[in-house]
Amino acid sequence: MLDLQQLRKDLPTAVAGLARRNFVFDEVSFRALEDERRIIQMQTEELQAKRNAASKMIGMMKGKGEDTTAIMADVAGLGDGLKANETALGELQEKLNNFLRQIPNIPRADVPPGKSELDNVEVRKWGTPKTFDFAPKDHTDIGEALGGIDFETAAKLSGARFSVLRGGVARLHRALAQFMLNKHTLEHGYTEVYVPYMVGGESADGVSSLAKFKDDLFKIEGRDLYLIPTAEYPVTNFVRDEIVDAKSLPMKFACHSPCFRSEAGSYGKDTRGMIRQHQFDKVEVVQIVAPEHSAEAHEELTRHAEAILQALGLPYRTMLLCTGDMGFSSAKTYDLEVWLPAQNTYREISSCSLFEAFQARRMMARFKNAQGKTEYLHTINGSGLAVGRTLVAVLENYQNADGSVTIPNVLVPYMGGMTKLAVAG
RNA sequence: GGAGAGGUGGCAGAGUGGUCGAAUGCACCAGACUCGAAAUCUGGCGUACGGUUUUACCGUACCGUGAGUUCGAAUCUCACCCUCUCCGCCA
């Protein structure tokens, strides 16, 4: 949510900022709503003040045993008008609130303008795509040949966009998650957390707009509970409705969780394989920091995600998303794209976003600064990494001509010393 | 699932219709005392919104959430949510 005070003070700057991400801010509606709200609020508060003063007076008079019929008749007349005003004010405030909560974040000044992913900017590249002396297969073929990926059984159980993993591939999947968690907690200073995989609507609306994106989530029937599409949902909400001590900052959390996404509107996209699933695992890193450190923390967190790819020896590039390709809540986002030889291209494997105070305002997440003033926190998160897609990348990049897959060195301890996934003989 | 108890400021905890945004204690901040610290004393110490003469003052709302009764609700009524204890069930 944007800062209402800021919008009042300097609407043109906000409107221009939103225009950069191709969002048209409805100034006329906003101004009309605001003006009306202001008038009704002043009227209502004036009536309330009158009523309160009279009631206080009645209390005092009764205490002294004086007659109060005159003043009580006087204040009784306020009732209807006051109630009407209070109702109108409540409705207006809700309208204004809904309006505000559906406005996306303003991109930072250093975010390149653009309409789609085609306008994203490569900021760095790591590793050299391996050349194969045979035609590299995609992970589906590799996995099925290993007897490790089974989409047919998954389809029988749950339909499309699910997978069953078996044997060495299932273990490799687990090894990846363990490796990522260890790296972030032991080397990057994050605290491991385990969280609910369902959150209430209020938490969901704290990180993004539930009204806008509820179709992307799986909802529990008959209850105000949603399966989490990322651990960002529960973890960021740790600080919802809190005023934390400045000494507790920065907070750094790493969380391994399954993620559930309805993928509504992505029909026909990535239908083959494990790239786009209704359920996938992810290790998420989250930082909650003071405003003055957030830009720097965002860079650091992105490097932490990159460190995983480097340790695994997977070539990747870091893309700075353009204004038109960023998520609703983000002020600045880096995507990490890993090299997939079968697709002969880089594919997204991580998204690291800086939200500034956008989520904190939605969540009422604040801290007491050095001057003792309450201030909104800044939130940052990123995938470090998407486990399913990392499995895909390892299978494809480490495949051999005979169909086997070499285990990356850093994962061998997690695989019980196994160095290769071999095709069953 | 059954029975009971309870949700009040950062924490503990008082408050059962009227100068209650709320006693008291702890914690915290500032000052005094001290060479310094501790102890002690003094003062301060919630959040959001609105107004204005905009680091200050005034107003409004907030005592789990929502509705209701009343001139007036932390206090009474109803619904819901959550927590705790006991019993049952259960990985």
Side-chain angles (χ1 to χ4, degrees):
Chain A
M1 179 157 68
L2 300 180
D3 183 1
L4 185 56
Q5 316 284 353
Q6 199 59 42
L7 289 180
R8 289 195 190 118
K9 219 186 297 170
D10 185 8
L11 190 55
T13 302
V15 170
L18 288 164
R20 295 184 64 230
R21 54 141 69 214
N22 311 314
F23 182 90
V24 181
F25 184 93
D26 185 353
E27 278 183 82
V28 176
S29 298
F30 174 72
R31 282 222 159 87
L33 223 51
E34 255 296 283
D35 289 346
E36 202 184 346
R37 192 219 88 248
R38 188 193 309 263
I39 291 163
I40 300 279
Q41 181 160 350
M42 282 165 65
Q43 281 176 359
T44 307
E45 290 186 356
E46 201 177 309
L47 286 171
Q48 286 170 327
K50 225 180 253 180
R51 181 205 56 198
N52 290 348
S55 293
K56 212 166 232 185
M57 183 66 77
I58 291 169
M60 280 196 282
M61 289 170 77
K62 286 211 166 171
K64 290 183 206 152
E66 294 172 26
D67 177 49
T68 58
T69 41
I71 187 164
M72 278 177 73
D74 206 35
V75 75
L78 289 174
D80 289 345
L82 182 55
K83 187 150 283 181
N85 264 300
E86 281 175 345
T87 307
L89 180 60
E91 282 167 7
L92 272 171
Q93 279 172 333
E94 199 185 321
K95 248 192 225 173
L96 193 60
N97 194 34
N98 288 341
F99 178 90
L100 273 179
R101 291 185 87 87
Q102 295 201 41
I103 294 169
N105 204 354
I106 296 171
R108 282 174 64 96
D110 55 352
V111 173
K115 293 214 179 316
S116 73
E117 59 183 337
L118 298 173
D119 299 315
N120 295 344
V121 174
E122 181 183 306
V123 293
R124 56 185 167 263
K125 195 181 237 172
W126 185 91
T128 313
K130 191 173 159 186
T131 49
F132 293 87
D133 50 12
F134 58 95
K137 292 188 282 191
D138 78 1
H139 68 280
T140 304
D141 291 338
I142 300 166
E144 284 178 345
L146 291 169
I149 303 184
D150 180 356
F151 291 113
E152 254 178 68
T153 303
K156 179 173 73 180
L157 303 177
S158 313
R161 294 203 190 281
F162 288 94
S163 51
V164 166
L165 304 180
R166 296 180 202 271
V169 174
R171 180 159 189 179
L172 180 58
H173 184 258
R174 172 163 60 94
L176 282 166
Q178 302 296 314
F179 166 70
M180 292 174 194
L181 265 181
N182 280 357
K183 187 121 178 134
H184 292 311
T185 56
L186 302 177
E187 295 176 31
H188 298 156
Y190 290 81
T191 301
E192 180 169 352
V193 289
Y194 169 83
V195 298
Y197 298 152
M198 301 175 209
V199 296
E202 217 176 313
S203 292
D205 201 58
V207 293
S208 183
S209 169
L210 186 57
K212 261 189 145 67
F213 302 110
K214 62 176 183 300
D215 289 346
D216 296 336
L217 304 179
F218 286 110
K219 186 175 192 302
I220 305 301
E221 195 170 321
R223 306 204 45 175
D224 179 36
L225 279 178
Y226 297 83
L227 291 179
I228 59 171
T230 156
E232 168 194 359
Y233 275 53
V235 175
T236 309
N237 273 284
F238 282 6
V239 290
R240 176 158 60 87
D241 294 326
E242 299 280 340
I243 300 175
V244 303
D245 197 303
K247 288 187 210 104
S248 62
L249 302 177
M251 297 185 191
K252 298 169 72 176
F253 300 111
C255 182
H256 171 218
S257 84
C259 305
F260 303 93
R261 299 187 182 178
S262 78
E263 293 297 344
S266 64
Y267 301 108
K269 224 179 185 179
D270 301 312
T271 49
R272 183 176 158 86
M274 283 185 68
I275 294 289
R276 193 174 299 274
Q277 302 258 286
H278 287 312
Q279 173 187 321
F280 63 94
D281 276 30
K282 182 156 58 65
V283 172
E284 183 80 356
V285 280
V286 174
Q287 290 203 28
I288 295 163
V289 305
E292 62 269 28
H293 298 127
S294 67
E296 173 197 344
H298 178 227
E299 298 295 329
E300 177 197 88
L301 179 142
T302 305
R303 296 291 191 173
H304 289 156
E306 290 180 28
I308 301 289
L309 286 165
Q310 292 179 15
L312 291 169
L314 295 170
Y316 70 89
R317 61 182 190 180
T318 304
M319 306 294 289
L320 175 55
L321 298 198
C322 73
T323 53
D325 199 32
M326 286 198 311
F328 178 81
S329 302
S330 180
K332 183 180 180 182
T333 299
Y334 291 114
D335 271 9
L336 306 186
E337 297 182 342
V338 70
W339 177 255
L340 292 184
Q343 295 192 13
N344 198 41
T345 186
Y346 289 94
R347 286 300 304 261
E348 178 186 342
I349 196 167
S350 169
S351 195
C352 301
S353 296
L354 167 61
F355 304 98
E356 298 185 327
F358 188 83
Q359 293 181 324
R361 269 183 232 109
R362 300 176 81 86
M363 294 190 297
M364 291 295 278
R366 294 156 295 171
F367 75 107
K368 281 239 185 285
N369 67 19
Q371 290 75 40
K373 285 251 185 199
T374 45
E375 211 180 327
Y376 286 107
L377 291 160
H378 278 197
T379 57
I380 301 149
N381 69 53
S383 357
L385 309 158
V387 178
R389 288 190 181 181
T390 309
L391 178 72
V392 166
V394 168
L395 291 177
E396 294 196 7
N397 282 281
Y398 282 87
Q399 63 180 299
N400 303 309
D402 64 359
S404 66
V405 173
T406 302
I407 305 290
N409 283 333
V410 291
L411 295 181
V412 170
Y414 295 85
M415 294 295 288
M418 198 188 298
T419 56
K420 194 181 262 195
L421 295 181
V423 179

